[in-house]
Amino acid sequence: MHTSNIAVVGLQWGDEGKGKVVDAVAGVSRYVVRYCGGANAGHSVQIGQEKYALHLIPCGIFREGVVNIIANGVAFDPQVALEELAALADRGLRLGPDRLVISSAAQVVMPWHKLQDSLGEQALGSAKLGTTVRGIGPCYADKAMRSVAIRAGDLIDADALRDRIRRIAEIKSATFAALYGAEPIDAEAIADEYIEYGRQLGPMIANAGAILRNACRNGERIMFEGGQGSMLDIDHGTYPFVTSSTVTACGVPSGAGVPPSAVGTVVGVIKAYSSRVGTGPFPTEQDNETGEWLRRRGQEYGTTTGRPRRCGWLDAFAVRYAADLSGVGELALTLLDVLSGLDELKICTGYELTGRAMQDYDATVLAEAEPVYESVPGWAGDISQCLSYADLPAAAKAYVTRVEELVGRPVSIISVGPARRQTIVRRSKIEGLS
Ligand code: IMP
């Protein structure tokens, strides 16, 4: 099947600036689909002077005529969705069922998932995973359990939902009391709350997979919006310090209900340096003045949790691995402007493990890996007003070229600031993107 569809995925540890790239590609798409993760994501988009931070609602909402879909692969938190919808409505953006569809098969995040996330992390003490405490892991665990799961479609039938919540709350109360000495869960209050969510969101809950497969048949362009970053993928990331869904482009078919052939061109988003929030290995981390400088310049504080992000040099070895996993066709390089002012930049080209070069990337042994760096010259001036590739200083162009060589893919989008106009598009195969 020939398709003009596009998947936008992060190739690092999340926070690569996907929101801005999604917003750009949404301008030439008919559907924008979240297929993984949940309200743990934080996607930022700036329209004019207005800044938006979205957690659950797809970033295609700022483009008129785009239908946004929260697909079956998402851990759907109705409370967060309604809060986001209300905040958007306050700012003049009202979304109805013609603009936002929620898959009836999406798993619902329940209050006991957030409680379990929080109690579980506390119990782990210094061994905690550093989750966003949004209930993501427990929600996906219950999806796999099946008997204690609730899907968005279940929110619509109030009586059946109340029965189900009573039954599950009993199991959860007994489990949490035994494990953590927790108080019993108030099933009736939760049932009242979630029945009300179902009433409000009901008109948007639909068979999203069918809508998307019809779109494929009709040749309407879909963009799949990845959440988190590939190094946080449940299978291929730095396990166990990962999130709980398949965030690479491999997650698109099952997470959205489309065939693998519908994935289309994969755009891999990378930040010009690296960051990570939460615990886990991060070989190029600069726990020093350079890291502090990057954090300050890049305003690297979590969109979802406000936590300071750990910062370090670009890891081209990891990015290449992530690009290979998702079959990335082209790269979007973001926050290049943040690097302005450094005399020298470093790029990690590989790792050494007990003195020997690692041949194939192995995300399971990173704690012992020593990064191997290459130094390249930095540039001095502000590049945030460079609106074409030709305007960039020679050293910035050389940095872009070196990234392309090391990752083995062209950089077709360069972002030099948060505004839409601060986006340089060059040699992209995405039709209509300029
Ligand atoms: P969880 O997804 O809340 O279970 O968190 C697991 C790990 O993934 C933690 O290290 C989080 O900080 C990280 N994480 C989850 N979502 C994001 C994201 O959207 N951006 C960056 N890190 C994330």
Side-chain angles (χ1 to χ4, degrees):
M1 184 208 309
H2 171 74
T3 177
S4 65
N5 293 347
I6 299 150
V8 176
V9 299
L11 300 184
Q12 293 159 311
W13 279 278
D15 312 310
E16 296 95 348
K18 291 181 293 296
K20 185 181 163 177
V21 178
V22 168
D23 170 60
V25 182
V28 293
S29 303
R30 173 78 175 113
Y31 293 89
V32 172
V33 183
R34 280 280 311 268
Y35 63 90
C36 67
N40 50 350
H43 293 176
S44 309
V45 181
Q46 186 172 324
I47 319 282
Q49 294 308 309
E50 294 283 311
K51 288 183 185 163
Y52 297 86
L54 299 173
H55 299 286
L56 204 49
I57 310 282
C59 290
I61 54 164
F62 304 106
R63 303 284 185 176
E64 257 176 55
V66 170
V67 179
N68 295 273
I69 295 194
I70 297 176
N72 59 282
V74 171
F76 176 67
D77 187 330
Q79 184 192 359
V80 174
L82 283 166
E83 279 168 12
E84 275 189 13
L85 287 172
L88 288 166
D90 280 350
R91 297 172 78 174
L93 228 158
R94 268 171 219 291
L95 300 172
D98 56 328
R99 297 292 315 280
L100 181 66
V101 176
I102 300 154
S103 167
S104 51
Q107 289 293 318
V108 176
V109 177
M110 299 298 294
W112 49 75
H113 293 138
K114 295 181 215 183
L115 183 64
Q116 189 178 353
D117 204 351
S118 154
L119 293 173
E121 283 283 89
Q122 279 169 34
L124 283 171
S126 62
K128 70 177 183 181
L129 298 175
T131 74
T132 59
V133 207
R134 294 291 178 116
I136 303 299
C139 177
Y140 282 118
D142 281 356
K143 174 181 183 175
M145 274 298 281
R146 295 150 294 162
S147 55
V148 285
I150 292 178
R151 309 214 289 182
D154 298 329
L155 296 177
I156 294 167
D157 182 337
D159 291 339
L161 180 62
R162 187 174 294 278
D163 284 349
R164 203 167 171 75
I165 287 176
R166 282 182 183 144
R167 190 176 54 74
I168 300 172
E170 214 172 292
I171 299 168
K172 296 291 177 186
S173 288
T175 312
F176 297 169
L179 284 178
Y180 311 113
E183 295 291 315
I185 289 166
D186 185 346
E188 299 311 320
I190 294 176
D192 291 345
E193 184 186 339
Y194 276 68
I195 287 168
E196 177 56 22
Y197 293 155
R199 197 188 61 72
Q200 291 185 40
L201 293 169
M204 293 177 171
I205 299 174
N207 183 351
I211 295 173
L212 292 173
R213 290 187 295 280
N214 280 330
C216 291
R217 220 168 287 126
N218 298 334
E220 295 174 294
R221 182 184 272 170
I222 306 169
M223 184 195 18
F224 302 100
E225 173 183 1
Q228 293 76 50
S230 305
M231 302 308 290
L232 292 171
D233 184 86
I234 178 85
D235 285 283
H236 305 291
T238 53
Y239 195 91
F241 302 103
V242 293
T243 191
S244 303
S245 64
T246 300
V247 304
T248 62
C250 310
V252 168
S254 65
V258 297
S261 55
V263 175
T265 303
V266 182
V267 177
V269 186
I270 50 175
K271 184 145 70 177
Y273 50 97
S274 303
S275 73
R276 170 163 205 170
V277 58
T279 328
F282 178 9
T284 63
E285 178 171 18
Q286 298 300 299
D287 192 10
N288 53 29
E289 270 178 24
T290 304
E292 186 48 44
W293 189 90
L294 289 168
R295 180 159 43 248
R296 240 182 303 115
R297 282 272 303 179
Q299 293 165 31
E300 294 291 351
Y301 298 89
T303 318
T304 302
T305 58
R307 291 180 288 180
R309 297 180 186 140
R310 301 154 65 193
C311 293
W313 297 117
L314 179 66
D315 186 341
F317 190 41
V319 167
R320 188 177 187 122
Y321 161 71
D324 287 348
L325 275 172
S326 281
V328 164
E330 40 193 89
L331 298 168
L333 182 65
T334 65
L335 290 121
L336 189 61
D337 53 305
V338 170
L339 295 183
S340 300
L342 287 169
D343 292 340
E344 182 198 44
L345 305 172
K346 288 188 180 172
I347 308 179
C348 169
T349 57
Y351 302 153
E352 279 185 358
L353 207 59
T354 55
R356 298 175 61 156
M358 188 189 280
Q359 295 301 320
D360 294 312
Y361 195 93
D362 185 347
T364 63
V365 292
L366 294 192
E368 297 88 47
E370 275 298 319
V372 177
Y373 291 109
E374 177 179 298
S375 291
V376 293
W379 54 91
D382 173 26
I383 61 166
S384 64
Q385 300 310 317
C386 294
L387 303 186
S388 79
Y389 188 69
D391 292 345
L392 290 174
K397 286 185 200 157
Y399 189 74
V400 173
T401 305
R402 193 64 189 127
V403 170
E404 291 182 320
E405 287 165 1
L406 290 168
V407 183
R409 273 93 180 164
V411 171
S412 62
I413 299 171
I414 301 168
S415 174
V416 292
R420 275 179 174 168
R421 60 180 182 80
Q422 291 170 302
T423 312
I424 300 168
V425 180
R426 62 196 274 268
R427 302 196 311 238
S428 176
K429 293 220 171 69
I430 300 171
E431 238 172 84
L433 192 68
S434 59

